[in-house]
Amino acid sequence: MSLFGPLREQLRGAAEAFGGEDAVSGILSGLVDDVDRALGEELEIFPVCHHSPASALAMARRLRDKRPSVIYLELCEDLAPLLDELRNCRLPVALQAFAGELDGFPAAWAPLSVIAPITEASAEYQAIAYALDTPGVEIVLVDRSTDHVFQWEPRDGGPSDPGPDADDDEAALHGDAVGVEIGDLRPRFAELEAHLLHHGKVRHWSEWWDQYVEQPLSSADYATYRQVMVLIGSLFRRLRPERDDRDRRDEDRERYMWTRMREHLAATGTDPSGCLYVCGAFHAASRVEQFGLSSAEPFEITPRTATRWQYGLIPSSHSAIEAQFGLASGSVSIAAATFTKALKRSKVQPFRLEGQQGTSKRARAAAPAVEEPATDRLSGFLSIPPVLDGLDEAELLGWCVDIVRLARRNGYLSSTADAIAVFETSILLAGMRGRARPTPYDFQDAAVTCIEKDAVPGRRDVRRLCEILLGGDRIGQVGYESLPPLARDVLDRLKPLGLDPQKRTIQRALLNLDANPELVPCSHLLWILRRLLPDGAVRPIMGSRKLGERSIQESWDLALGRNQRAIVELGYEGVTVEQVLEQRLRRSVWDPKATAALALEAVEDAVLYLNGRRFTDELGARAVELLAAERTVDDAPEVLRRIRRLLIYYRATEPELPAWCQAFVTEGYAHYCTLLPTAFVDEDTGVRQVAAMLGFLFGMESLALSLGCDHAQLELAVRQSHPEAPAKAALLWAAKSQLGLMPLADLRNRCDELLDNPLVIPSFPLYMSGFVQALEPAPALAPVVVEVMSKAFARLPDTVLLPWLPGLITTLREHARELVPVLVREAGRTFPATLPALDAWVPPWSSSAKRP
C-alpha cells in the first residue's frame, strides 16, 4: 500500500464534499502522487528553495545525518572548477560564465553572461562547503551548461532575463547577466499569487513565503521538510495556466540532469544510496519520462557551440540578488538574519569552507545518524495548525530602539515616543494579520507608519533603514587569489599608491609626479582604467591627459573595491589592461558602423595610452579607408577637430608627419572637394557640416598642395556650388572671398543690399548665421562679420531681431571654442575700450573712405 494512501483518500473525499469536480480531485490526488513518487525514488532527492533559511538548515542537518559520498547539484555543469575558489572570497559572490565573442549565437546577443549567486544562507552553499572540505566526497554539477542556457533560448527574441533595473550600484552588480538559481518556487501566474497574498494578509511574495513556509519549516524535522517542499513544488507545477517556452525548458533541464546522473553512476559504479540529489522543489516534482534511475528513456544532449566561455567569480550583494530574481527589497537580508537566528535557536552547526573570509571556523562533522523508516508526515503537518511563536519582547524592543537611533542619524526627528509607538504598532499589525509574534515585515510597516512623516530628510527612507538594521545589504568580495590575472596585475601595479583594494569606500590618491617619478606608471594605469571602467570607478580630480600635455600633480578618487565586478570582467578580455584597450580600439575601427571620426578618436587614444607607433599607424590607415568610403559629411566637424589636434601633436613631437597623416590630408582634400557642391544644396546637410568641410579644405590647403593636391580642384568645387538656403549662401560668399573670387567690397555691398531690401529682412538672421559659421574656414573675415552683425543689431526691427537672438546665443555657446575667441578679439579691436570713448566713437564702416 502507498505511504500516502490514507491522505490521498482524505483529499479525494474533501474534493467530492466541496463539489466533486474531477479537476480539483485530480489536482489534490496528483499532489500526493508527486510526493509519493519523489520519496520513493532510489536516489534521495533533496528539494530546496533558493536563498531559503529553512532549506539551508535542513541541508546542514541532513548532511550531518546522512554523510553522502556524492552530491548531485542543480547548477551549470561547466561552473564546477569555480567552486573551490569560493574559499578565497567573502560571500555573497556569484559564479559567472562570460562570452564576449560568439560563435553559434546571433551576434546581437553579445556579450553573453550567466551568473549563479551564492550566499551563506543557502542550501547549495552548505552542500558545496561539505563536499569540498570532507575527504572522499564528490560534488557533481548536473544542470545544463551555460552554452545550453542560450542554445535553448528562442532565437527571435534573445536572452529573456533583462537583469536588474536599478540605479543603485549594489543592485546593478550583476549587470544584465542571465541569472541561474536553484529552486524557483513562485507561482507562474498572477491570479494564484494575488489570491495567496490577499488571504495571507501580506504585501508581496517574499513575505508570504517567510510567513507560511520558512517559519513553520525552520523547526520541522527533515522528513516533514522534504515532503512539504515537494508538495509545494508540485502545487505550483500543476497550477500553471498553460505550457510555454519556459515550461519546456524546465522539463528539458530535468531530462538533462537525470541523464547526467545516470551517466555518472554508470561510469563510477557509485551506490545510489550514498548519493544526494539537490534540486529545486519545482524539479523534485518532475513528471518527465526520464525521471528516476530506473528510467531507460534516452535524452539527446546537443554538443556545445564553438563559443569560447570564460569563467570567474564576481562580487554580489543581497540587493543585486533581489533585483536579479524579482524578490522584494530587503528579503534576502531578512533571510540571512533569519538563518543566523535559527542557527542559535536550533544549535545546528552549519558547514563553512575552511579559510573563507567573513565566516567562523567550521565545526567538525558528527557521525552519521541511524536512518528512520519513512512515514507520512504530510497528514499531520496539513491538519495541525502551526505552533505560533510567542512574543519576544526583548528582540522587538531592541529593534524599536535601534531604528529610532538610526533614524535620528539620518535626519528624522524621532524620539523615545516613536520607539514606543513602533513597538505597539508592530504588535497591533501582527495581531490583525493573525500572527502572535511580529515579523520583520510587521516591524517595517510599523516603523514607516510611526517615523516617516511627509518627506524623507536624507538619502534613505525608513524602509531602507529597517533593511539595514535587520541585516543590511551584505556585499561580497572576490579574494586576490581568485581574481583573473588582469585584476591581480592592476592591484600589483597600484601598490605604490598605498591604497587598500578591499575597501568599498572612495579613496583619494595624490600623485606628485615631479617629486615621485616612480608613480608615473601608476598615473598611466589610472588613465587607462578611466578609459575602460564605468564612470565613477576612477575619477580624476586634478590633472589631465591630452595630446602634448603632461601633468605635474594629479589627484584621483578611486572606487576600485566597489567596481570589482567591472575589473574582473576586463580579465575575460585579456591579460593586461593595455591588451584589452588595444583589442577594443581595433574592434571599434573595424566595426561595420565605424566612421572616420571614430577611427581618429581611436588613434588619439592609442597615442595617449599605448605608446605604440605600429598600432597607431594601423589605426590611422584604417581612418583613411573609412574617410574615402564615406558618402555623407555628418561627421565633418568632428573629423576636422581631431585631425587638427593630431597634426599639431605630430608637428611638435615628430621630425615629420606619419605617412597615414599625409594620406588622410590628401584623401580628405579630394574627398571634400568632390562632395562640396552636393553638400551646399543638400537640405539634410547642415551649415555646420559645410563650414567644417570648408575649414578642412582651407586649413589643410597648404599641406595638401605640398603633398601633390591641386588648388584648381577646390576653386572648381566652389564655383560649382549654388546653394539656395540663406545661411549656406552666406557661407559660399565667405568661401569665394577667401579664394579671391569675391572682393570684400562686393561682400559688404551684398550685405547692405540685403538690409535695404524689406522682403529679405525677415530672413537676414539666417544669412548672419552663415557668416558666423564662416569664421571656421575663414577667420580673416572676422572684421566683416563684426561689421555685418553690428549693422544687423542697429537696423533690424525688434520683431526680427529678438527671435534671432536665442539661436545666435545657442550657436555661439555650442561652438564657443572655435568661434567666440575670434569674434571677441575682433570686437575688442574694433569697439572702444572705455565708456566715455563710446560717445565720440564713429564706426569704421560708416566712412566709405576707410574701406579697402
Side-chain angles (χ1 to χ4, degrees):
M1 182 178 179
S2 171
L3 180 65
F4 299 98
L7 177 60
R8 184 182 292 104
E9 294 302 322
Q10 182 181 355
L11 293 175
R12 285 177 178 171
E16 294 174 359
F18 282 99
E21 294 184 9
D22 293 339
V24 176
S25 177
I27 290 176
L28 293 178
S29 60
L31 299 180
V32 180
D33 293 339
D34 289 342
V35 176
D36 203 359
R37 185 186 188 194
L39 267 61
E41 172 56 35
E42 181 182 5
L43 175 62
E44 181 178 341
I45 301 174
F46 190 103
V48 302
C49 175
H50 200 43
H51 305 303
S52 162
S55 295
L57 283 170
M59 176 63 75
R61 291 192 187 104
R62 187 54 182 162
L63 291 174
R64 296 192 183 281
D65 292 342
K66 182 180 177 68
R67 303 287 299 278
S69 59
V70 176
I71 296 178
Y72 297 111
L73 184 61
E74 179 197 332
L75 202 60
C76 294
E77 57 186 1
D78 50 337
L79 297 177
L82 297 177
L83 298 182
D84 196 55
E85 298 293 338
L86 289 174
R87 67 178 74 251
N88 300 319
C89 306
R90 183 171 68 242
L91 298 181
V93 296
L95 313 178
Q96 183 184 38
F98 183 91
E101 298 180 0
L102 308 185
D103 188 350
F105 298 111
W109 289 12
L112 298 180
S113 179
V114 172
I115 58 99
I118 303 292
T119 64
E120 188 175 351
S122 61
E124 59 267 33
Y125 174 73
Q126 296 297 310
I128 291 169
Y130 163 79
L132 295 183
D133 283 349
T134 304
V137 176
E138 182 182 8
I139 185 167
V140 182
L141 307 187
V142 294
D143 200 0
R144 55 184 176 164
S145 70
T146 52
D147 197 89
H148 287 91
V149 169
F150 295 100
Q151 280 191 36
W152 294 356
E153 289 284 346
R155 294 301 173 103
D156 54 347
S160 58
D161 194 320
D165 186 19
D167 298 329
D168 184 8
D169 288 342
E170 285 72 29
L173 279 175
H174 295 169
D176 56 358
V178 172
V180 176
E181 61 177 325
I182 296 178
D184 177 15
L185 284 183
R186 185 164 183 162
R188 292 291 176 85
F189 58 100
E191 290 83 355
L192 174 59
E193 184 171 344
H195 178 83
L196 294 175
L197 298 185
H198 174 72
H199 291 279
K201 299 178 181 178
V202 294
R203 292 167 302 158
H204 45 69
W205 174 253
S206 299
E207 186 176 357
W208 185 93
W209 181 264
D210 177 78
Q211 177 66 24
Y212 294 99
V213 179
E214 288 295 334
Q215 301 301 332
L217 290 184
S218 293
S219 56
D221 59 83
Y222 171 65
T224 302
Y225 165 84
R226 188 181 177 205
Q227 294 174 22
V228 171
M229 288 295 285
V230 177
L231 179 74
I232 295 173
S234 175
L235 173 66
F236 294 155
R237 191 180 191 107
R238 288 180 176 272
L239 291 182
R240 291 174 298 180
E242 60 183 9
R243 283 173 54 84
D244 55 14
D245 289 338
R246 182 175 178 181
D247 295 331
R248 283 186 284 272
R249 288 197 297 271
D250 284 336
E251 292 181 353
D252 282 343
R253 290 176 64 188
E254 292 157 5
R255 297 183 178 98
Y256 194 108
M257 290 188 284
W258 280 107
T259 301
R260 288 302 194 206
M261 287 186 286
R262 286 196 295 269
E263 291 175 353
H264 181 269
L265 290 172
T268 60
T270 305
D271 183 1
S273 62
C275 304
L276 191 66
Y277 170 34
V278 182
C279 66
F282 186 86
H283 299 302
S286 171
R287 301 190 305 275
V288 298
E289 59 276 13
Q290 286 81 3
F291 180 91
L293 299 182
S294 60
S295 173
E297 289 292 330
F299 177 70
E300 181 183 359
I301 297 178
T302 58
R304 301 180 189 178
T305 67
T307 298
R308 187 171 66 90
W309 290 90
Q310 295 176 291
Y311 303 92
L313 297 168
I314 61 172
S316 184
S317 68
H318 291 167
S319 59
I321 297 171
E322 292 158 0
Q324 184 81 46
F325 300 109
L327 305 176
S329 176
S331 58
V332 178
S333 296
I334 292 175
T338 303
F339 179 65
T340 303
K341 187 191 306 181
L343 290 178
K344 296 178 180 178
R345 183 175 65 244
S346 63
K347 308 299 182 183
V348 173
Q349 292 293 331
F351 290 92
R352 293 185 172 96
L353 288 169
E354 288 283 358
Q356 187 165 38
Q357 304 176 44
T359 58
S360 58
K361 186 175 180 181
R362 187 175 64 93
R364 296 180 180 177
V370 178
E371 294 287 338
E372 298 181 359
T375 58
D376 177 12
R377 305 296 179 91
L378 270 181
S379 299
F381 184 86
L382 297 177
S383 60
I384 300 175
V387 178
L388 297 176
D389 292 336
L391 173 63
D392 188 342
E393 290 192 5
E395 179 188 57
L396 184 57
L397 278 174
W399 287 352
C400 296
V401 172
D402 290 341
I403 190 59
V404 168
R405 182 185 300 116
L406 194 57
R408 289 183 66 86
R409 291 176 183 172
N410 284 268
Y412 289 91
L413 299 177
S414 53
S415 63
T416 304
D418 292 313
I420 298 172
V422 173
F423 181 87
E424 297 295 340
T425 306
S426 299
I427 298 175
L428 177 64
L429 288 176
M432 293 173 60
R433 295 164 178 172
R435 301 193 272 263
R437 176 177 183 168
T439 66
Y441 297 99
D442 298 324
F443 168 70
Q444 273 189 341
D445 291 342
V448 171
T449 302
C450 299
I451 298 177
E452 192 166 284
K453 307 302 190 241
D454 296 334
V456 177
R459 188 167 56 93
R460 300 184 178 101
D461 58 14
V462 174
R463 190 170 300 280
R464 177 61 180 148
L465 295 178
C466 290
E467 295 169 8
I468 295 173
L469 173 67
L470 296 171
D473 184 15
R474 176 177 288 187
I475 301 169
Q477 194 163 46
V478 180
Y480 177 86
E481 296 80 4
S482 297
L483 291 172
L486 179 144
R488 292 200 297 268
D489 178 64
V490 167
L491 297 182
D492 292 341
R493 292 165 63 180
L494 293 179
K495 277 183 179 179
L497 298 180
L499 304 177
D500 185 357
Q502 302 297 321
K503 286 186 177 180
R504 290 186 52 81
T505 57
I506 296 177
Q507 303 179 73
R508 178 63 59 87
L510 302 175
L511 289 72
N512 189 334
L513 302 179
D514 276 355
N516 304 106
E518 67 276 8
L519 297 181
V520 172
C522 295
S523 170
H524 182 69
L525 177 59
L526 290 175
W527 285 110
I528 296 179
L529 290 176
R530 180 176 180 265
R531 172 66 171 73
L532 296 176
L533 294 180
D535 293 339
V538 176
R539 187 165 65 95
I541 306 300
M542 181 176 67
S544 63
R545 174 64 65 97
K546 297 180 180 178
L547 290 175
E549 293 184 5
R550 173 182 174 272
S551 297
I552 299 175
Q553 292 181 332
E554 294 178 354
S555 176
W556 295 83
D557 274 353
L558 305 179
L560 297 178
R562 186 180 298 175
N563 291 272
Q564 192 183 51
R565 169 182 172 265
I567 299 177
V568 169
E569 291 190 345
L570 284 182
Y572 299 148
E573 301 182 50
V575 180
T576 64
V577 291
E578 288 83 2
Q579 181 187 5
V580 172
L581 180 58
E582 180 176 336
Q583 291 176 351
R584 288 190 181 183
L585 293 178
R586 182 176 281 113
R587 191 161 52 242
S588 67
V589 300
W590 262 271
D591 187 90
K593 297 181 180 180
T595 62
L598 187 145
L600 290 177
E601 181 183 4
V603 171
E604 192 170 337
D605 287 342
V607 173
L608 290 174
Y609 305 120
L610 297 179
N611 299 322
R613 183 63 182 269
R614 175 197 56 80
F615 182 57
T616 305
D617 291 345
E618 176 186 339
L619 298 179
R622 176 60 177 168
V624 177
E625 296 176 9
L626 291 172
L627 181 65
E630 287 184 353
R631 292 297 174 263
T632 66
V633 293
D634 295 341
D635 293 330
E638 186 71 12
V639 170
L640 176 61
R641 189 159 44 244
R642 293 193 177 279
I643 192 60
R644 274 179 176 170
R645 202 155 49 214
L646 287 166
L647 289 174
I648 293 172
Y649 168 76
Y650 280 121
R651 282 169 173 161
T653 59
E654 300 284 344
E656 62 178 0
L657 291 178
W660 75 266
C661 274
Q662 301 178 18
F664 192 92
V665 170
T666 56
E667 182 64 40
Y669 191 85
H671 180 69
Y672 286 139
C673 281
T674 302
L675 296 181
L676 186 62
T678 304
F680 263 116
V681 297
D682 187 6
E683 295 181 356
D684 294 331
T685 303
V687 180
R688 179 61 184 164
Q689 281 69 33
V690 178
M693 295 173 65
L694 292 173
F696 186 99
L697 293 172
F698 290 136
M700 309 287 173
E701 185 176 23
S702 59
L703 177 59
L705 295 180
S706 68
L707 295 174
C709 295
D710 188 358
H711 173 76
Q713 193 175 6
L714 172 58
E715 186 173 334
L716 184 61
V718 171
R719 289 180 180 276
Q720 290 178 340
S721 300
H722 305 286
E724 296 181 359
K728 290 183 179 179
L731 198 57
L732 178 62
W733 298 342
K736 288 184 175 180
S737 177
Q738 183 75 6
L739 290 173
L741 302 178
M742 180 183 291
L744 287 179
D746 292 349
L747 182 59
R748 286 190 173 98
N749 290 333
R750 287 201 179 188
C751 294
D752 291 338
E753 291 173 1
L754 293 175
L755 284 172
D756 293 335
N757 188 344
L759 299 177
V760 180
I761 283 180
S763 61
F764 186 80
L766 299 177
Y767 288 94
M768 197 66 249
S769 299
F771 283 124
V772 172
Q773 294 287 355
L775 293 175
E776 173 76 61
L781 291 179
V784 178
V785 175
V786 171
E787 175 183 339
V788 175
M789 189 175 294
S790 300
K791 290 179 179 179
F793 276 101
R795 298 173 58 180
L796 289 179
D798 290 346
T799 55
V800 176
L801 184 63
L802 293 180
W804 171 50
L805 289 179
L808 175 64
I809 294 173
T810 303
T811 300
L812 293 177
R813 182 178 181 181
E814 182 181 356
H815 309 294
R817 180 178 300 179
E818 298 90 356
L819 306 183
V820 172
V822 180
L823 274 179
V824 171
R825 185 166 54 250
E826 183 58 32
R829 189 185 66 82
T830 304
F831 293 98
T834 62
L835 188 60
L838 187 61
D839 294 334
W841 178 72
V842 177
W845 53 82
S846 63
S847 175
S848 59
K850 295 184 179 181
R851 293 183 180 178

